[in-house]
PDB file of all heavy atoms in Angstrom:
ATOM      1  N   LEU A 189     -81.658-193.731 204.791  1.00  0.00           N
ATOM      2  CA  LEU A 189     -82.959-193.620 204.124  1.00  0.00           C
ATOM      3  C   LEU A 189     -83.266-194.890 203.334  1.00  0.00           C
ATOM      4  O   LEU A 189     -84.381-195.401 203.376  1.00  0.00           O
ATOM      5  CB  LEU A 189     -83.002-192.403 203.193  1.00  0.00           C
ATOM      6  CG  LEU A 189     -83.110-191.038 203.844  1.00  0.00           C
ATOM      7  CD1 LEU A 189     -83.077-189.944 202.779  1.00  0.00           C
ATOM      8  CD2 LEU A 189     -84.348-190.910 204.696  1.00  0.00           C
ATOM      9  N   LEU A 190     -82.275-195.386 202.613  1.00  0.00           N
ATOM     10  CA  LEU A 190     -82.474-196.628 201.852  1.00  0.00           C
ATOM     11  C   LEU A 190     -82.763-197.796 202.782  1.00  0.00           C
ATOM     12  O   LEU A 190     -83.683-198.581 202.536  1.00  0.00           O
ATOM     13  CB  LEU A 190     -81.237-196.936 201.002  1.00  0.00           C
ATOM     14  CG  LEU A 190     -81.104-196.135 199.712  1.00  0.00           C
ATOM     15  CD1 LEU A 190     -79.732-196.341 199.104  1.00  0.00           C
ATOM     16  CD2 LEU A 190     -82.188-196.504 198.734  1.00  0.00           C
ATOM     17  N   ASP A 191     -81.989-197.921 203.852  1.00  0.00           N
ATOM     18  CA  ASP A 191     -82.178-199.026 204.799  1.00  0.00           C
ATOM     19  C   ASP A 191     -83.550-198.950 205.466  1.00  0.00           C
ATOM     20  O   ASP A 191     -84.201-199.967 205.673  1.00  0.00           O
ATOM     21  CB  ASP A 191     -81.090-199.020 205.876  1.00  0.00           C
ATOM     22  CG  ASP A 191     -79.712-199.344 205.315  1.00  0.00           C
ATOM     23  OD1 ASP A 191     -79.612-199.764 204.147  1.00  0.00           O
ATOM     24  OD2 ASP A 191     -78.728-199.151 206.061  1.00  0.00           O
ATOM     25  N   GLY A 192     -83.995-197.753 205.792  1.00  0.00           N
ATOM     26  CA  GLY A 192     -85.258-197.577 206.499  1.00  0.00           C
ATOM     27  C   GLY A 192     -86.482-197.630 205.632  1.00  0.00           C
ATOM     28  O   GLY A 192     -87.606-197.666 206.128  1.00  0.00           O
ATOM     29  N   HIS A 193     -86.278-197.605 204.325  1.00  0.00           N
ATOM     30  CA  HIS A 193     -87.422-197.611 203.400  1.00  0.00           C
ATOM     31  C   HIS A 193     -87.243-198.683 202.329  1.00  0.00           C
ATOM     32  O   HIS A 193     -87.540-198.457 201.155  1.00  0.00           O
ATOM     33  CB  HIS A 193     -87.573-196.232 202.746  1.00  0.00           C
ATOM     34  CG  HIS A 193     -87.927-195.148 203.690  1.00  0.00           C
ATOM     35  ND1 HIS A 193     -86.977-194.431 204.373  1.00  0.00           N
ATOM     36  CD2 HIS A 193     -89.120-194.681 204.105  1.00  0.00           C
ATOM     37  CE1 HIS A 193     -87.572-193.544 205.155  1.00  0.00           C
ATOM     38  NE2 HIS A 193     -88.867-193.688 205.017  1.00  0.00           N
ATOM     39  N   SER A 194     -86.785-199.834 202.744  1.00  0.00           N
ATOM     40  CA  SER A 194     -86.497-200.902 201.781  1.00  0.00           C
ATOM     41  C   SER A 194     -87.758-201.418 201.084  1.00  0.00           C
ATOM     42  O   SER A 194     -87.673-202.045 200.040  1.00  0.00           O
ATOM     43  CB  SER A 194     -85.762-202.051 202.468  1.00  0.00           C
ATOM     44  OG  SER A 194     -86.548-202.567 203.531  1.00  0.00           O
ATOM     45  N   ASP A 195     -88.919-201.125 201.641  1.00  0.00           N
ATOM     46  CA  ASP A 195     -90.171-201.563 201.033  1.00  0.00           C
ATOM     47  C   ASP A 195     -90.649-200.614 199.941  1.00  0.00           C
ATOM     48  O   ASP A 195     -91.603-200.900 199.236  1.00  0.00           O
ATOM     49  CB  ASP A 195     -91.260-201.695 202.097  1.00  0.00           C
ATOM     50  CG  ASP A 195     -91.509-200.386 202.835  1.00  0.00           C
ATOM     51  OD1 ASP A 195     -90.548-199.623 203.047  1.00  0.00           O
ATOM     52  OD2 ASP A 195     -92.670-200.114 203.191  1.00  0.00           O
ATOM     53  N   LYS A 196     -90.010-199.481 199.804  1.00  0.00           N
ATOM     54  CA  LYS A 196     -90.411-198.472 198.823  1.00  0.00           C
ATOM     55  C   LYS A 196     -89.659-198.701 197.505  1.00  0.00           C
ATOM     56  O   LYS A 196     -88.597-199.305 197.470  1.00  0.00           O
ATOM     57  CB  LYS A 196     -90.098-197.051 199.329  1.00  0.00           C
ATOM     58  CG  LYS A 196     -90.675-196.738 200.685  1.00  0.00           C
ATOM     59  CD  LYS A 196     -92.180-196.572 200.619  1.00  0.00           C
ATOM     60  CE  LYS A 196     -92.726-196.092 201.921  1.00  0.00           C
ATOM     61  NZ  LYS A 196     -93.242-197.086 202.809  1.00  0.00           N
ATOM     62  N   ASN A 197     -90.193-198.172 196.435  1.00  0.00           N
ATOM     63  CA  ASN A 197     -89.550-198.253 195.140  1.00  0.00           C
ATOM     64  C   ASN A 197     -88.595-197.064 195.007  1.00  0.00           C
ATOM     65  O   ASN A 197     -88.964-196.026 194.482  1.00  0.00           O
ATOM     66  CB  ASN A 197     -90.607-198.243 194.030  1.00  0.00           C
ATOM     67  CG  ASN A 197     -90.002-198.449 192.667  1.00  0.00           C
ATOM     68  OD1 ASN A 197     -88.856-198.889 192.546  1.00  0.00           O
ATOM     69  ND2 ASN A 197     -90.746-198.127 191.642  1.00  0.00           N
ATOM     70  N   LEU A 198     -87.383-197.228 195.520  1.00  0.00           N
ATOM     71  CA  LEU A 198     -86.381-196.164 195.487  1.00  0.00           C
ATOM     72  C   LEU A 198     -85.362-196.453 194.398  1.00  0.00           C
ATOM     73  O   LEU A 198     -85.050-197.611 194.107  1.00  0.00           O
ATOM     74  CB  LEU A 198     -85.671-196.059 196.842  1.00  0.00           C
ATOM     75  CG  LEU A 198     -86.561-195.844 198.054  1.00  0.00           C
ATOM     76  CD1 LEU A 198     -85.724-195.777 199.315  1.00  0.00           C
ATOM     77  CD2 LEU A 198     -87.380-194.583 197.896  1.00  0.00           C
ATOM     78  N   GLN A 199     -84.847-195.391 193.809  1.00  0.00           N
ATOM     79  CA  GLN A 199     -83.816-195.518 192.790  1.00  0.00           C
ATOM     80  C   GLN A 199     -82.534-194.875 193.303  1.00  0.00           C
ATOM     81  O   GLN A 199     -82.588-193.853 193.989  1.00  0.00           O
ATOM     82  CB  GLN A 199     -84.229-194.801 191.510  1.00  0.00           C
ATOM     83  CG  GLN A 199     -85.510-195.309 190.880  1.00  0.00           C
ATOM     84  CD  GLN A 199     -85.821-194.493 189.645  1.00  0.00           C
ATOM     85  OE1 GLN A 199     -85.343-194.790 188.570  1.00  0.00           O
ATOM     86  NE2 GLN A 199     -86.605-193.439 189.813  1.00  0.00           N
ATOM     87  N   VAL A 200     -81.408-195.448 192.936  1.00  0.00           N
ATOM     88  CA  VAL A 200     -80.108-194.908 193.319  1.00  0.00           C
ATOM     89  C   VAL A 200     -79.382-194.504 192.043  1.00  0.00           C
ATOM     90  O   VAL A 200     -79.209-195.317 191.128  1.00  0.00           O
ATOM     91  CB  VAL A 200     -79.271-195.946 194.098  1.00  0.00           C
ATOM     92  CG1 VAL A 200     -77.906-195.387 194.451  1.00  0.00           C
ATOM     93  CG2 VAL A 200     -80.021-196.392 195.357  1.00  0.00           C
ATOM     94  N   VAL A 201     -78.957-193.251 191.965  1.00  0.00           N
ATOM     95  CA  VAL A 201     -78.216-192.760 190.806  1.00  0.00           C
ATOM     96  C   VAL A 201     -76.850-193.440 190.783  1.00  0.00           C
ATOM     97  O   VAL A 201     -76.148-193.484 191.798  1.00  0.00           O
ATOM     98  CB  VAL A 201     -78.058-191.220 190.856  1.00  0.00           C
ATOM     99  CG1 VAL A 201     -77.187-190.730 189.711  1.00  0.00           C
ATOM    100  CG2 VAL A 201     -79.438-190.550 190.818  1.00  0.00           C
ATOM    101  N   SER A 202     -76.490-194.007 189.649  1.00  0.00           N
ATOM    102  CA  SER A 202     -75.189-194.673 189.515  1.00  0.00           C
ATOM    103  C   SER A 202     -74.068-193.708 189.872  1.00  0.00           C
ATOM    104  O   SER A 202     -74.087-192.547 189.451  1.00  0.00           O
ATOM    105  CB  SER A 202     -74.978-195.167 188.085  1.00  0.00           C
ATOM    106  OG  SER A 202     -75.888-196.184 187.777  1.00  0.00           O
ATOM    107  N   PRO A 203     -73.080-194.194 190.629  1.00  0.00           N
ATOM    108  CA  PRO A 203     -72.008-193.303 191.066  1.00  0.00           C
ATOM    109  C   PRO A 203     -71.068-192.870 189.957  1.00  0.00           C
ATOM    110  O   PRO A 203     -70.390-191.863 190.081  1.00  0.00           O
ATOM    111  CB  PRO A 203     -71.266-194.116 192.122  1.00  0.00           C
ATOM    112  CG  PRO A 203     -71.600-195.538 191.818  1.00  0.00           C
ATOM    113  CD  PRO A 203     -72.961-195.524 191.181  1.00  0.00           C
ATOM    114  N   SER A 204     -71.039-193.598 188.865  1.00  0.00           N
ATOM    115  CA  SER A 204     -70.164-193.226 187.764  1.00  0.00           C
ATOM    116  C   SER A 204     -70.942-193.346 186.465  1.00  0.00           C
ATOM    117  O   SER A 204     -71.553-194.379 186.184  1.00  0.00           O
ATOM    118  CB  SER A 204     -68.938-194.129 187.722  1.00  0.00           C
ATOM    119  OG  SER A 204     -68.089-193.743 186.673  1.00  0.00           O
ATOM    120  N   ILE A 205     -70.927-192.268 185.699  1.00  0.00           N
ATOM    121  CA  ILE A 205     -71.651-192.219 184.442  1.00  0.00           C
ATOM    122  C   ILE A 205     -70.632-191.873 183.352  1.00  0.00           C
ATOM    123  O   ILE A 205     -70.081-190.786 183.328  1.00  0.00           O
ATOM    124  CB  ILE A 205     -72.763-191.154 184.497  1.00  0.00           C
ATOM    125  CG1 ILE A 205     -73.676-191.430 185.690  1.00  0.00           C
ATOM    126  CG2 ILE A 205     -73.535-191.113 183.199  1.00  0.00           C
ATOM    127  CD1 ILE A 205     -74.473-190.243 186.124  1.00  0.00           C
ATOM    128  N   ASP A 206     -70.379-192.826 182.487  1.00  0.00           N
ATOM    129  CA  ASP A 206     -69.398-192.609 181.429  1.00  0.00           C
ATOM    130  C   ASP A 206     -68.072-192.084 181.984  1.00  0.00           C
ATOM    131  O   ASP A 206     -67.468-191.166 181.428  1.00  0.00           O
ATOM    132  CB  ASP A 206     -69.937-191.651 180.365  1.00  0.00           C
ATOM    133  CG  ASP A 206     -71.181-192.193 179.684  1.00  0.00           C
ATOM    134  OD1 ASP A 206     -71.275-193.420 179.514  1.00  0.00           O
ATOM    135  OD2 ASP A 206     -72.055-191.387 179.330  1.00  0.00           O
ATOM    136  N   GLY A 207     -67.660-192.628 183.125  1.00  0.00           N
ATOM    137  CA  GLY A 207     -66.395-192.219 183.730  1.00  0.00           C
ATOM    138  C   GLY A 207     -66.468-190.932 184.538  1.00  0.00           C
ATOM    139  O   GLY A 207     -65.471-190.466 185.056  1.00  0.00           O
ATOM    140  N   LYS A 208     -67.674-190.351 184.651  1.00  0.00           N
ATOM    141  CA  LYS A 208     -67.846-189.117 185.429  1.00  0.00           C
ATOM    142  C   LYS A 208     -68.707-189.426 186.647  1.00  0.00           C
ATOM    143  O   LYS A 208     -69.643-190.206 186.564  1.00  0.00           O
ATOM    144  CB  LYS A 208     -68.540-188.045 184.592  1.00  0.00           C
ATOM    145  CG  LYS A 208     -67.829-187.715 183.301  1.00  0.00           C
ATOM    146  CD  LYS A 208     -68.691-186.783 182.462  1.00  0.00           C
ATOM    147  CE  LYS A 208     -68.254-186.807 181.036  1.00  0.00           C
ATOM    148  NZ  LYS A 208     -69.171-187.476 180.142  1.00  0.00           N
ATOM    149  N   SER A 209     -68.383-188.801 187.773  1.00  0.00           N
ATOM    150  CA  SER A 209     -69.156-188.985 188.995  1.00  0.00           C
ATOM    151  C   SER A 209     -69.641-187.642 189.509  1.00  0.00           C
ATOM    152  O   SER A 209     -68.980-186.621 189.306  1.00  0.00           O
ATOM    153  CB  SER A 209     -68.291-189.642 190.074  1.00  0.00           C
ATOM    154  OG  SER A 209     -67.865-190.905 189.661  1.00  0.00           O
ATOM    155  N   PHE A 210     -70.785-187.648 190.193  1.00  0.00           N
ATOM    156  CA  PHE A 210     -71.283-186.421 190.801  1.00  0.00           C
ATOM    157  C   PHE A 210     -70.393-186.028 191.971  1.00  0.00           C
ATOM    158  O   PHE A 210     -69.952-186.880 192.732  1.00  0.00           O
ATOM    159  CB  PHE A 210     -72.732-186.598 191.283  1.00  0.00           C
ATOM    160  CG  PHE A 210     -73.725-186.528 190.165  1.00  0.00           C
ATOM    161  CD1 PHE A 210     -74.138-187.675 189.520  1.00  0.00           C
ATOM    162  CD2 PHE A 210     -74.233-185.308 189.753  1.00  0.00           C
ATOM    163  CE1 PHE A 210     -75.043-187.619 188.478  1.00  0.00           C
ATOM    164  CE2 PHE A 210     -75.152-185.234 188.718  1.00  0.00           C
ATOM    165  CZ  PHE A 210     -75.552-186.390 188.082  1.00  0.00           C
ATOM    166  N   LYS A 211     -70.147-184.708 192.087  1.00  0.00           N
ATOM    167  CA  LYS A 211     -69.346-184.154 193.174  1.00  0.00           C
ATOM    168  C   LYS A 211     -70.137-183.039 193.848  1.00  0.00           C
ATOM    169  O   LYS A 211     -70.931-182.366 193.203  1.00  0.00           O
ATOM    170  CB  LYS A 211     -68.042-183.565 192.622  1.00  0.00           C
ATOM    171  CG  LYS A 211     -67.144-184.560 191.930  1.00  0.00           C
ATOM    172  CD  LYS A 211     -65.979-183.833 191.260  1.00  0.00           C
ATOM    173  CE  LYS A 211     -65.144-184.752 190.412  1.00  0.00           C
ATOM    174  NZ  LYS A 211     -65.766-185.249 189.229  1.00  0.00           N
ATOM    175  N   ASN A 212     -69.878-182.844 195.142  1.00  0.00           N
ATOM    176  CA  ASN A 212     -70.491-181.743 195.880  1.00  0.00           C
ATOM    177  C   ASN A 212     -69.727-180.451 195.621  1.00  0.00           C
ATOM    178  O   ASN A 212     -68.502-180.440 195.672  1.00  0.00           O
ATOM    179  CB  ASN A 212     -70.475-182.028 197.386  1.00  0.00           C
ATOM    180  CG  ASN A 212     -71.639-182.870 197.807  1.00  0.00           C
ATOM    181  OD1 ASN A 212     -72.772-182.567 197.472  1.00  0.00           O
ATOM    182  ND2 ASN A 212     -71.371-183.927 198.547  1.00  0.00           N
ATOM    183  N   PHE A 213     -70.463-179.374 195.383  1.00  0.00           N
ATOM    184  CA  PHE A 213     -69.850-178.068 195.176  1.00  0.00           C
ATOM    185  C   PHE A 213     -70.402-177.010 196.122  1.00  0.00           C
ATOM    186  O   PHE A 213     -69.756-175.993 196.342  1.00  0.00           O
ATOM    187  CB  PHE A 213     -70.039-177.604 193.722  1.00  0.00           C
ATOM    188  CG  PHE A 213     -69.230-178.397 192.730  1.00  0.00           C
ATOM    189  CD1 PHE A 213     -69.807-179.446 192.046  1.00  0.00           C
ATOM    190  CD2 PHE A 213     -67.901-178.103 192.500  1.00  0.00           C
ATOM    191  CE1 PHE A 213     -69.071-180.194 191.129  1.00  0.00           C
ATOM    192  CE2 PHE A 213     -67.143-178.840 191.590  1.00  0.00           C
ATOM    193  CZ  PHE A 213     -67.738-179.893 190.906  1.00  0.00           C
ATOM    194  N   GLY A 214     -71.591-177.198 196.682  1.00  0.00           N
ATOM    195  CA  GLY A 214     -72.202-176.203 197.560  1.00  0.00           C
ATOM    196  C   GLY A 214     -71.809-176.399 199.010  1.00  0.00           C
ATOM    197  O   GLY A 214     -71.252-177.431 199.385  1.00  0.00           O
ATOM    198  N   ALA A 215     -72.121-175.421 199.845  1.00  0.00           N
ATOM    199  CA  ALA A 215     -71.818-175.515 201.273  1.00  0.00           C
ATOM    200  C   ALA A 215     -72.758-176.480 201.980  1.00  0.00           C
ATOM    201  O   ALA A 215     -72.418-177.037 203.016  1.00  0.00           O
ATOM    202  CB  ALA A 215     -71.903-174.132 201.928  1.00  0.00           C
ATOM    203  N   ARG A 216     -73.940-176.685 201.424  1.00  0.00           N
ATOM    204  CA  ARG A 216     -74.905-177.623 202.016  1.00  0.00           C
ATOM    205  C   ARG A 216     -74.644-178.995 201.396  1.00  0.00           C
ATOM    206  O   ARG A 216     -74.973-179.246 200.247  1.00  0.00           O
ATOM    207  CB  ARG A 216     -76.332-177.155 201.704  1.00  0.00           C
ATOM    208  CG  ARG A 216     -77.398-177.932 202.453  1.00  0.00           C
ATOM    209  CD  ARG A 216     -78.786-177.483 202.088  1.00  0.00           C
ATOM    210  NE  ARG A 216     -79.082-176.135 202.559  1.00  0.00           N
ATOM    211  CZ  ARG A 216     -80.264-175.551 202.392  1.00  0.00           C
ATOM    212  NH1 ARG A 216     -81.240-176.184 201.763  1.00  0.00           N
ATOM    213  NH2 ARG A 216     -80.467-174.335 202.851  1.00  0.00           N
ATOM    214  N   ILE A 217     -74.034-179.883 202.170  1.00  0.00           N
ATOM    215  CA  ILE A 217     -73.636-181.194 201.667  1.00  0.00           C
ATOM    216  C   ILE A 217     -74.805-182.169 201.618  1.00  0.00           C
ATOM    217  O   ILE A 217     -74.907-183.001 200.735  1.00  0.00           O
ATOM    218  CB  ILE A 217     -72.504-181.779 202.545  1.00  0.00           C
ATOM    219  CG1 ILE A 217     -71.280-180.840 202.544  1.00  0.00           C
ATOM    220  CG2 ILE A 217     -72.099-183.172 202.089  1.00  0.00           C
ATOM    221  CD1 ILE A 217     -70.690-180.564 201.187  1.00  0.00           C
ATOM    222  N   THR A 218     -75.709-182.073 202.578  1.00  0.00           N
ATOM    223  CA  THR A 218     -76.881-182.945 202.645  1.00  0.00           C
ATOM    224  C   THR A 218     -78.104-182.105 202.289  1.00  0.00           C
ATOM    225  O   THR A 218     -78.364-181.095 202.940  1.00  0.00           O
ATOM    226  CB  THR A 218     -77.030-183.530 204.062  1.00  0.00           C
ATOM    227  OG1 THR A 218     -75.847-184.269 204.376  1.00  0.00           O
ATOM    228  CG2 THR A 218     -78.237-184.433 204.156  1.00  0.00           C
ATOM    229  N   PHE A 219     -78.818-182.523 201.246  1.00  0.00           N
ATOM    230  CA  PHE A 219     -79.997-181.760 200.834  1.00  0.00           C
ATOM    231  C   PHE A 219     -80.988-182.655 200.113  1.00  0.00           C
ATOM    232  O   PHE A 219     -80.647-183.725 199.632  1.00  0.00           O
ATOM    233  CB  PHE A 219     -79.613-180.559 199.964  1.00  0.00           C
ATOM    234  CG  PHE A 219     -78.959-180.921 198.648  1.00  0.00           C
ATOM    235  CD1 PHE A 219     -79.709-180.959 197.472  1.00  0.00           C
ATOM    236  CD2 PHE A 219     -77.608-181.196 198.567  1.00  0.00           C
ATOM    237  CE1 PHE A 219     -79.122-181.279 196.258  1.00  0.00           C
ATOM    238  CE2 PHE A 219     -77.009-181.515 197.348  1.00  0.00           C
ATOM    239  CZ  PHE A 219     -77.763-181.554 196.197  1.00  0.00           C
ATOM    240  N   GLY A 220     -82.207-182.202 200.059  1.00  0.00           N
ATOM    241  CA  GLY A 220     -83.235-182.948 199.355  1.00  0.00           C
ATOM    242  C   GLY A 220     -84.490-182.126 199.225  1.00  0.00           C
ATOM    243  O   GLY A 220     -84.596-181.028 199.783  1.00  0.00           O
ATOM    244  N   GLY A 221     -85.446-182.654 198.518  1.00  0.00           N
ATOM    245  CA  GLY A 221     -86.710-181.969 198.337  1.00  0.00           C
ATOM    246  C   GLY A 221     -87.437-182.471 197.120  1.00  0.00           C
ATOM    247  O   GLY A 221     -87.026-183.432 196.462  1.00  0.00           O
TER     248      GLY A 221
END
């Protein structure tokens, strides 16, 4: 998505925040909306 929309103003959430990273917990690994 990032590669295909490089002309858009997209933001990427930092992978580590104060030493904590987001982890997947649900059965649906890929999601959006």
